[in-house]
Amino acid sequence: MRHGRRGFARAAAAWLALLMTLSACKGGGSGESVSGGNAADRLAYEKYETPVVLRIPHQFSDIQLPEGDTSENNFVTRYLTEQTGIAIRYVWEAPNDVQYASKIDLSIRSGDLPDAFVVNRAQFLELAKSGQLEDLSDVYGKYASQLVSSLYDATKGKALQEASVDGKLYGFPNIAIEADSPVYVWVRQDWLDRLGLPAPKDLDDIAAIVRAFRDADLDGNGQKDTAGIPVDRSLVYAEKMGNNGLNGVFAAFGAFPKRWIKGSKGQPVYGSVQPEAKQALALLAEWYRDGIIDPQFMLRQDSQDLVSANEAGLFFGPWWAPYFPLSKSISSDTKAEWRVYAAPLDAQGRFVTTDAPATDRYLVVRKGYAHPEAALKLLNAFTRMERSRDPNSDALLEATEQLGTQLRNYYPFDLLLDRPDAVETRHDRLVQALDGKIDPEQLDPETKRLYEDAVSERESPRKNMDAWSSSQAYLLGGEASKTPMKKVESLYVDPTPTMALKWEQLQTLEQETYAKIVTGGLPVDAFDAFVQKWYREGGSQITAEAASSLRTRPSAEAAGE
């Protein structure tokens, strides 16, 4: 984690002073003023008279800190404490998902649980079924803000049901945005135009574009050194999408690694061991030999560096890629023009993806903690900040803009709530406002902020990177999200008895085999032996158990349909 640079720290200091003055002037200590005095939200935002200490783990992102601030004691955590009366204490920190999950597993095994923490599905079920979590049913009914309740209601019962066991609510789930599921092709449009190349549609187009970029010496250094497609070392993502995953390449073959899907007879089958995956691996091995994908991808610390440094002109990423890494690309080359395409299409000309889960993370409270509502009060508070409903949000955002980072990186929990259709809805409203079809003053606070960013970007292009990132994410990425798609249903399987014993080693086998086939360490036909071994060493039993371990869907009545 990088600490604050002096220039940013001085610039931010004025905003932070203003923020605390505003908070004090608005009577922030009461908790009611920030909520607008809404009686229904009184308990949701009411400040503790006697400070409450909440011990939590922290997964930090790449944040900037003003001089004198720490990850635990900074302008955002102090603001949250001022508003809620909750003193946040970090029991440990982790820099990424993998290390965080590993440390949570260690806490579970040792029985030394923090007061509140975020867990994945397997950890959630283990803790709930072993009686180690607080029942939060009454807490939610009493302390959930209207905003938080409305966002959960937008999932039609799915999110809260998946956070419940035997009818009791044991966690506050995140909400998966439907637009987060597909990955698209992002391309340097200025390079495409310079070479007179058409937009990518299929896998052959993608390979042809990368070859042309490599051979054209677009940076003018006299060398054919433009990099191939950046690739994350995981190759594909399971549920939570990210940049540089190759999910789209597999989907074009009708393959869905790391996902459970319906087999020919309607039964669950594991996508990584289906024959379609072998076809995709054969193409990727060819691409690797030809330099279409980055030959150094297994050695890179961060696959996004190639795009950030404008050494690559094409990559796979979600709708939100303008936030990162494209903001870095534009910062280093203001002439860079990026566009997004719903590609590659499959042999029938369809853009194929999978659906998104209702949730994949849960904020839970250990059994016996005296103030389980404190976790929900924090969730109420930073959800209000994230959705631009806090009157002090502007000052907080200005501070993070001065520091060159995002406000969400400072929240105590990595758990965001939004409407499942938020991206498409905001895109449509934003376009209508920019076209003069609706009054910007009628927009909700968050979309109005996007409108202001888009206007700022139009008037002063590339001068404010936050304005560029948010406007392009919702204008370009939002438009891509409206593409007609074939969405293959993912089947969400809860951990089975054999999974508990065998899944980790099967995942390792899969990852190593896929990587070796792509990089030439194994022939493509080694896939067949891998499949046989996968089934023999636990996969057959897990597949048999999967049918009875599928997460149930909310009934039509519970879903409000």
Side-chain angles (χ1 to χ4, degrees), residues 83-108:
Q83 292 298 319
T84 64
I86 300 169
I88 300 166
R89 299 289 181 265
Y90 293 156
V91 294
W92 49 259
E93 295 187 89
N96 54 51
D97 289 341
V98 174
Q99 291 190 34
Y100 179 90
S102 178
K103 287 190 173 186
I104 288 292
D105 282 338
L106 180 60
S107 295
I108 294 172

PDB file of all heavy atoms in Angstrom, residues 83-108:
ATOM      1  N   GLN A  83     -19.784   9.934  12.596  1.00  0.00           N
ATOM      2  CA  GLN A  83     -21.195   9.781  12.276  1.00  0.00           C
ATOM      3  C   GLN A  83     -21.871   8.677  13.086  1.00  0.00           C
ATOM      4  O   GLN A  83     -23.056   8.776  13.407  1.00  0.00           O
ATOM      5  CB  GLN A  83     -21.369   9.488  10.782  1.00  0.00           C
ATOM      6  CG  GLN A  83     -21.004  10.655   9.875  1.00  0.00           C
ATOM      7  CD  GLN A  83     -21.876  11.868  10.125  1.00  0.00           C
ATOM      8  OE1 GLN A  83     -23.083  11.741  10.322  1.00  0.00           O
ATOM      9  NE2 GLN A  83     -21.277  13.037  10.134  1.00  0.00           N
ATOM     10  N   THR A  84     -21.141   7.617  13.412  1.00  0.00           N
ATOM     11  CA  THR A  84     -21.778   6.434  14.016  1.00  0.00           C
ATOM     12  C   THR A  84     -21.440   6.211  15.489  1.00  0.00           C
ATOM     13  O   THR A  84     -22.171   5.510  16.187  1.00  0.00           O
ATOM     14  CB  THR A  84     -21.359   5.168  13.247  1.00  0.00           C
ATOM     15  OG1 THR A  84     -19.946   4.971  13.396  1.00  0.00           O
ATOM     16  CG2 THR A  84     -21.713   5.286  11.770  1.00  0.00           C
ATOM     17  N   GLY A  85     -20.312   6.737  15.927  1.00  0.00           N
ATOM     18  CA  GLY A  85     -19.846   6.423  17.275  1.00  0.00           C
ATOM     19  C   GLY A  85     -19.168   5.068  17.360  1.00  0.00           C
ATOM     20  O   GLY A  85     -18.975   4.526  18.454  1.00  0.00           O
ATOM     21  N   ILE A  86     -18.779   4.507  16.228  1.00  0.00           N
ATOM     22  CA  ILE A  86     -18.112   3.207  16.190  1.00  0.00           C
ATOM     23  C   ILE A  86     -16.623   3.406  15.961  1.00  0.00           C
ATOM     24  O   ILE A  86     -16.218   4.005  14.953  1.00  0.00           O
ATOM     25  CB  ILE A  86     -18.692   2.315  15.067  1.00  0.00           C
ATOM     26  CG1 ILE A  86     -20.191   2.089  15.296  1.00  0.00           C
ATOM     27  CG2 ILE A  86     -17.946   0.982  14.987  1.00  0.00           C
ATOM     28  CD1 ILE A  86     -20.895   1.448  14.119  1.00  0.00           C
ATOM     29  N   ALA A  87     -15.824   2.935  16.892  1.00  0.00           N
ATOM     30  CA  ALA A  87     -14.364   3.005  16.760  1.00  0.00           C
ATOM     31  C   ALA A  87     -13.888   1.756  16.028  1.00  0.00           C
ATOM     32  O   ALA A  87     -14.020   0.637  16.540  1.00  0.00           O
ATOM     33  CB  ALA A  87     -13.714   3.110  18.132  1.00  0.00           C
ATOM     34  N   ILE A  88     -13.356   1.937  14.820  1.00  0.00           N
ATOM     35  CA  ILE A  88     -12.939   0.812  13.977  1.00  0.00           C
ATOM     36  C   ILE A  88     -11.508   0.423  14.318  1.00  0.00           C
ATOM     37  O   ILE A  88     -10.608   1.270  14.325  1.00  0.00           O
ATOM     38  CB  ILE A  88     -13.049   1.198  12.486  1.00  0.00           C
ATOM     39  CG1 ILE A  88     -14.499   1.573  12.151  1.00  0.00           C
ATOM     40  CG2 ILE A  88     -12.549   0.072  11.592  1.00  0.00           C
ATOM     41  CD1 ILE A  88     -14.651   2.281  10.818  1.00  0.00           C
ATOM     42  N   ARG A  89     -11.304  -0.861  14.596  1.00  0.00           N
ATOM     43  CA  ARG A  89      -9.964  -1.365  14.900  1.00  0.00           C
ATOM     44  C   ARG A  89      -9.667  -2.538  13.961  1.00  0.00           C
ATOM     45  O   ARG A  89     -10.445  -3.477  13.884  1.00  0.00           O
ATOM     46  CB  ARG A  89      -9.866  -1.833  16.362  1.00  0.00           C
ATOM     47  CG  ARG A  89     -10.122  -0.734  17.373  1.00  0.00           C
ATOM     48  CD  ARG A  89      -8.967   0.264  17.413  1.00  0.00           C
ATOM     49  NE  ARG A  89      -9.190   1.309  18.402  1.00  0.00           N
ATOM     50  CZ  ARG A  89      -9.722   2.500  18.124  1.00  0.00           C
ATOM     51  NH1 ARG A  89     -10.094   2.794  16.873  1.00  0.00           N
ATOM     52  NH2 ARG A  89      -9.893   3.393  19.068  1.00  0.00           N
ATOM     53  N   TYR A  90      -8.548  -2.463  13.248  1.00  0.00           N
ATOM     54  CA  TYR A  90      -8.166  -3.536  12.334  1.00  0.00           C
ATOM     55  C   TYR A  90      -7.322  -4.579  13.070  1.00  0.00           C
ATOM     56  O   TYR A  90      -6.263  -4.261  13.595  1.00  0.00           O
ATOM     57  CB  TYR A  90      -7.376  -2.992  11.151  1.00  0.00           C
ATOM     58  CG  TYR A  90      -8.178  -2.099  10.219  1.00  0.00           C
ATOM     59  CD1 TYR A  90      -7.555  -1.159   9.410  1.00  0.00           C
ATOM     60  CD2 TYR A  90      -9.571  -2.209  10.142  1.00  0.00           C
ATOM     61  CE1 TYR A  90      -8.289  -0.356   8.553  1.00  0.00           C
ATOM     62  CE2 TYR A  90     -10.312  -1.404   9.297  1.00  0.00           C
ATOM     63  CZ  TYR A  90      -9.659  -0.471   8.504  1.00  0.00           C
ATOM     64  OH  TYR A  90     -10.392   0.323   7.668  1.00  0.00           O
ATOM     65  N   VAL A  91      -7.815  -5.808  13.089  1.00  0.00           N
ATOM     66  CA  VAL A  91      -7.065  -6.877  13.765  1.00  0.00           C
ATOM     67  C   VAL A  91      -5.945  -7.402  12.873  1.00  0.00           C
ATOM     68  O   VAL A  91      -4.940  -7.911  13.364  1.00  0.00           O
ATOM     69  CB  VAL A  91      -7.997  -8.035  14.186  1.00  0.00           C
ATOM     70  CG1 VAL A  91      -8.963  -7.574  15.250  1.00  0.00           C
ATOM     71  CG2 VAL A  91      -8.773  -8.598  12.991  1.00  0.00           C
ATOM     72  N   TRP A  92      -6.119  -7.309  11.560  1.00  0.00           N
ATOM     73  CA  TRP A  92      -5.070  -7.604  10.579  1.00  0.00           C
ATOM     74  C   TRP A  92      -5.497  -7.064   9.229  1.00  0.00           C
ATOM     75  O   TRP A  92      -6.663  -6.692   9.036  1.00  0.00           O
ATOM     76  CB  TRP A  92      -4.730  -9.092  10.500  1.00  0.00           C
ATOM     77  CG  TRP A  92      -5.861 -10.076  10.371  1.00  0.00           C
ATOM     78  CD1 TRP A  92      -6.395 -10.841  11.370  1.00  0.00           C
ATOM     79  CD2 TRP A  92      -6.602 -10.417   9.179  1.00  0.00           C
ATOM     80  NE1 TRP A  92      -7.411 -11.626  10.888  1.00  0.00           N
ATOM     81  CE2 TRP A  92      -7.557 -11.400   9.537  1.00  0.00           C
ATOM     82  CE3 TRP A  92      -6.540 -10.014   7.856  1.00  0.00           C
ATOM     83  CZ2 TRP A  92      -8.453 -11.951   8.626  1.00  0.00           C
ATOM     84  CZ3 TRP A  92      -7.421 -10.557   6.934  1.00  0.00           C
ATOM     85  CH2 TRP A  92      -8.358 -11.514   7.322  1.00  0.00           C
ATOM     86  N   GLU A  93      -4.549  -7.018   8.289  1.00  0.00           N
ATOM     87  CA  GLU A  93      -4.831  -6.506   6.953  1.00  0.00           C
ATOM     88  C   GLU A  93      -4.307  -7.471   5.900  1.00  0.00           C
ATOM     89  O   GLU A  93      -3.361  -8.219   6.142  1.00  0.00           O
ATOM     90  CB  GLU A  93      -4.203  -5.128   6.755  1.00  0.00           C
ATOM     91  CG  GLU A  93      -4.791  -4.056   7.658  1.00  0.00           C
ATOM     92  CD  GLU A  93      -4.268  -2.673   7.325  1.00  0.00           C
ATOM     93  OE1 GLU A  93      -4.877  -1.998   6.469  1.00  0.00           O
ATOM     94  OE2 GLU A  93      -3.241  -2.284   7.894  1.00  0.00           O
ATOM     95  N   ALA A  94      -4.932  -7.419   4.721  1.00  0.00           N
ATOM     96  CA  ALA A  94      -4.508  -8.257   3.593  1.00  0.00           C
ATOM     97  C   ALA A  94      -4.634  -7.436   2.313  1.00  0.00           C
ATOM     98  O   ALA A  94      -5.573  -6.644   2.169  1.00  0.00           O
ATOM     99  CB  ALA A  94      -5.362  -9.515   3.499  1.00  0.00           C
ATOM    100  N   PRO A  95      -3.709  -7.614   1.369  1.00  0.00           N
ATOM    101  CA  PRO A  95      -3.690  -6.770   0.167  1.00  0.00           C
ATOM    102  C   PRO A  95      -4.537  -7.272  -0.995  1.00  0.00           C
ATOM    103  O   PRO A  95      -4.690  -6.562  -1.972  1.00  0.00           O
ATOM    104  CB  PRO A  95      -2.202  -6.779  -0.212  1.00  0.00           C
ATOM    105  CG  PRO A  95      -1.731  -8.128   0.229  1.00  0.00           C
ATOM    106  CD  PRO A  95      -2.502  -8.449   1.483  1.00  0.00           C
ATOM    107  N   ASN A  96      -5.088  -8.494  -0.915  1.00  0.00           N
ATOM    108  CA  ASN A  96      -5.861  -9.001  -2.047  1.00  0.00           C
ATOM    109  C   ASN A  96      -6.825 -10.087  -1.572  1.00  0.00           C
ATOM    110  O   ASN A  96      -6.798 -10.516  -0.412  1.00  0.00           O
ATOM    111  CB  ASN A  96      -4.936  -9.542  -3.144  1.00  0.00           C
ATOM    112  CG  ASN A  96      -3.953 -10.582  -2.617  1.00  0.00           C
ATOM    113  OD1 ASN A  96      -4.335 -11.541  -1.948  1.00  0.00           O
ATOM    114  ND2 ASN A  96      -2.673 -10.380  -2.903  1.00  0.00           N
ATOM    115  N   ASP A  97      -7.686 -10.544  -2.509  1.00  0.00           N
ATOM    116  CA  ASP A  97      -8.718 -11.538  -2.189  1.00  0.00           C
ATOM    117  C   ASP A  97      -8.117 -12.836  -1.665  1.00  0.00           C
ATOM    118  O   ASP A  97      -8.630 -13.437  -0.716  1.00  0.00           O
ATOM    119  CB  ASP A  97      -9.555 -11.849  -3.434  1.00  0.00           C
ATOM    120  CG  ASP A  97     -10.468 -10.700  -3.832  1.00  0.00           C
ATOM    121  OD1 ASP A  97     -10.728  -9.839  -2.981  1.00  0.00           O
ATOM    122  OD2 ASP A  97     -10.916 -10.675  -4.990  1.00  0.00           O
ATOM    123  N   VAL A  98      -7.038 -13.297  -2.316  1.00  0.00           N
ATOM    124  CA  VAL A  98      -6.460 -14.595  -1.970  1.00  0.00           C
ATOM    125  C   VAL A  98      -5.912 -14.591  -0.549  1.00  0.00           C
ATOM    126  O   VAL A  98      -6.202 -15.494   0.253  1.00  0.00           O
ATOM    127  CB  VAL A  98      -5.364 -14.987  -2.980  1.00  0.00           C
ATOM    128  CG1 VAL A  98      -4.661 -16.261  -2.537  1.00  0.00           C
ATOM    129  CG2 VAL A  98      -5.960 -15.165  -4.376  1.00  0.00           C
ATOM    130  N   GLN A  99      -5.123 -13.581  -0.217  1.00  0.00           N
ATOM    131  CA  GLN A  99      -4.545 -13.521   1.130  1.00  0.00           C
ATOM    132  C   GLN A  99      -5.612 -13.281   2.187  1.00  0.00           C
ATOM    133  O   GLN A  99      -5.528 -13.815   3.295  1.00  0.00           O
ATOM    134  CB  GLN A  99      -3.468 -12.438   1.185  1.00  0.00           C
ATOM    135  CG  GLN A  99      -2.228 -12.775   0.370  1.00  0.00           C
ATOM    136  CD  GLN A  99      -1.097 -11.813   0.624  1.00  0.00           C
ATOM    137  OE1 GLN A  99      -0.921 -11.303   1.736  1.00  0.00           O
ATOM    138  NE2 GLN A  99      -0.306 -11.536  -0.407  1.00  0.00           N
ATOM    139  N   TYR A 100      -6.613 -12.473   1.842  1.00  0.00           N
ATOM    140  CA  TYR A 100      -7.697 -12.237   2.790  1.00  0.00           C
ATOM    141  C   TYR A 100      -8.425 -13.543   3.107  1.00  0.00           C
ATOM    142  O   TYR A 100      -8.650 -13.880   4.278  1.00  0.00           O
ATOM    143  CB  TYR A 100      -8.667 -11.202   2.234  1.00  0.00           C
ATOM    144  CG  TYR A 100      -9.837 -10.907   3.152  1.00  0.00           C
ATOM    145  CD1 TYR A 100      -9.749  -9.897   4.106  1.00  0.00           C
ATOM    146  CD2 TYR A 100     -11.006 -11.650   3.089  1.00  0.00           C
ATOM    147  CE1 TYR A 100     -10.816  -9.633   4.970  1.00  0.00           C
ATOM    148  CE2 TYR A 100     -12.072 -11.402   3.935  1.00  0.00           C
ATOM    149  CZ  TYR A 100     -11.963 -10.386   4.875  1.00  0.00           C
ATOM    150  OH  TYR A 100     -13.011 -10.147   5.731  1.00  0.00           O
ATOM    151  N   ALA A 101      -8.805 -14.293   2.070  1.00  0.00           N
ATOM    152  CA  ALA A 101      -9.523 -15.552   2.285  1.00  0.00           C
ATOM    153  C   ALA A 101      -8.693 -16.535   3.098  1.00  0.00           C
ATOM    154  O   ALA A 101      -9.218 -17.248   3.967  1.00  0.00           O
ATOM    155  CB  ALA A 101      -9.912 -16.166   0.940  1.00  0.00           C
ATOM    156  N   SER A 102      -7.382 -16.559   2.841  1.00  0.00           N
ATOM    157  CA  SER A 102      -6.498 -17.457   3.577  1.00  0.00           C
ATOM    158  C   SER A 102      -6.454 -17.090   5.059  1.00  0.00           C
ATOM    159  O   SER A 102      -6.490 -17.966   5.933  1.00  0.00           O
ATOM    160  CB  SER A 102      -5.088 -17.417   2.966  1.00  0.00           C
ATOM    161  OG  SER A 102      -4.200 -18.231   3.688  1.00  0.00           O
ATOM    162  N   LYS A 103      -6.393 -15.802   5.343  1.00  0.00           N
ATOM    163  CA  LYS A 103      -6.343 -15.361   6.740  1.00  0.00           C
ATOM    164  C   LYS A 103      -7.674 -15.614   7.454  1.00  0.00           C
ATOM    165  O   LYS A 103      -7.692 -15.938   8.652  1.00  0.00           O
ATOM    166  CB  LYS A 103      -5.953 -13.887   6.816  1.00  0.00           C
ATOM    167  CG  LYS A 103      -4.486 -13.620   6.494  1.00  0.00           C
ATOM    168  CD  LYS A 103      -4.100 -12.176   6.826  1.00  0.00           C
ATOM    169  CE  LYS A 103      -2.607 -11.947   6.671  1.00  0.00           C
ATOM    170  NZ  LYS A 103      -2.183 -10.617   7.116  1.00  0.00           N
ATOM    171  N   ILE A 104      -8.778 -15.456   6.723  1.00  0.00           N
ATOM    172  CA  ILE A 104     -10.078 -15.775   7.325  1.00  0.00           C
ATOM    173  C   ILE A 104     -10.149 -17.266   7.641  1.00  0.00           C
ATOM    174  O   ILE A 104     -10.630 -17.677   8.713  1.00  0.00           O
ATOM    175  CB  ILE A 104     -11.233 -15.360   6.401  1.00  0.00           C
ATOM    176  CG1 ILE A 104     -11.375 -13.835   6.369  1.00  0.00           C
ATOM    177  CG2 ILE A 104     -12.549 -15.984   6.855  1.00  0.00           C
ATOM    178  CD1 ILE A 104     -11.848 -13.199   7.658  1.00  0.00           C
ATOM    179  N   ASP A 105      -9.664 -18.114   6.736  1.00  0.00           N
ATOM    180  CA  ASP A 105      -9.632 -19.557   7.001  1.00  0.00           C
ATOM    181  C   ASP A 105      -8.835 -19.856   8.266  1.00  0.00           C
ATOM    182  O   ASP A 105      -9.236 -20.687   9.093  1.00  0.00           O
ATOM    183  CB  ASP A 105      -9.008 -20.298   5.812  1.00  0.00           C
ATOM    184  CG  ASP A 105      -9.972 -20.452   4.644  1.00  0.00           C
ATOM    185  OD1 ASP A 105     -11.191 -20.386   4.880  1.00  0.00           O
ATOM    186  OD2 ASP A 105      -9.497 -20.624   3.503  1.00  0.00           O
ATOM    187  N   LEU A 106      -7.714 -19.173   8.436  1.00  0.00           N
ATOM    188  CA  LEU A 106      -6.890 -19.373   9.630  1.00  0.00           C
ATOM    189  C   LEU A 106      -7.639 -18.936  10.886  1.00  0.00           C
ATOM    190  O   LEU A 106      -7.592 -19.617  11.924  1.00  0.00           O
ATOM    191  CB  LEU A 106      -5.573 -18.600   9.489  1.00  0.00           C
ATOM    192  CG  LEU A 106      -4.592 -18.710  10.658  1.00  0.00           C
ATOM    193  CD1 LEU A 106      -4.178 -20.164  10.885  1.00  0.00           C
ATOM    194  CD2 LEU A 106      -3.351 -17.841  10.396  1.00  0.00           C
ATOM    195  N   SER A 107      -8.345 -17.806  10.804  1.00  0.00           N
ATOM    196  CA  SER A 107      -9.134 -17.335  11.950  1.00  0.00           C
ATOM    197  C   SER A 107     -10.214 -18.345  12.322  1.00  0.00           C
ATOM    198  O   SER A 107     -10.484 -18.586  13.499  1.00  0.00           O
ATOM    199  CB  SER A 107      -9.775 -15.979  11.632  1.00  0.00           C
ATOM    200  OG  SER A 107      -8.799 -14.969  11.461  1.00  0.00           O
ATOM    201  N   ILE A 108     -10.840 -18.951  11.305  1.00  0.00           N
ATOM    202  CA  ILE A 108     -11.885 -19.941  11.562  1.00  0.00           C
ATOM    203  C   ILE A 108     -11.298 -21.177  12.232  1.00  0.00           C
ATOM    204  O   ILE A 108     -11.840 -21.697  13.217  1.00  0.00           O
ATOM    205  CB  ILE A 108     -12.602 -20.314  10.247  1.00  0.00           C
ATOM    206  CG1 ILE A 108     -13.370 -19.109   9.700  1.00  0.00           C
ATOM    207  CG2 ILE A 108     -13.548 -21.491  10.467  1.00  0.00           C
ATOM    208  CD1 ILE A 108     -13.951 -19.325   8.315  1.00  0.00           C
TER     209      ILE A 108
END
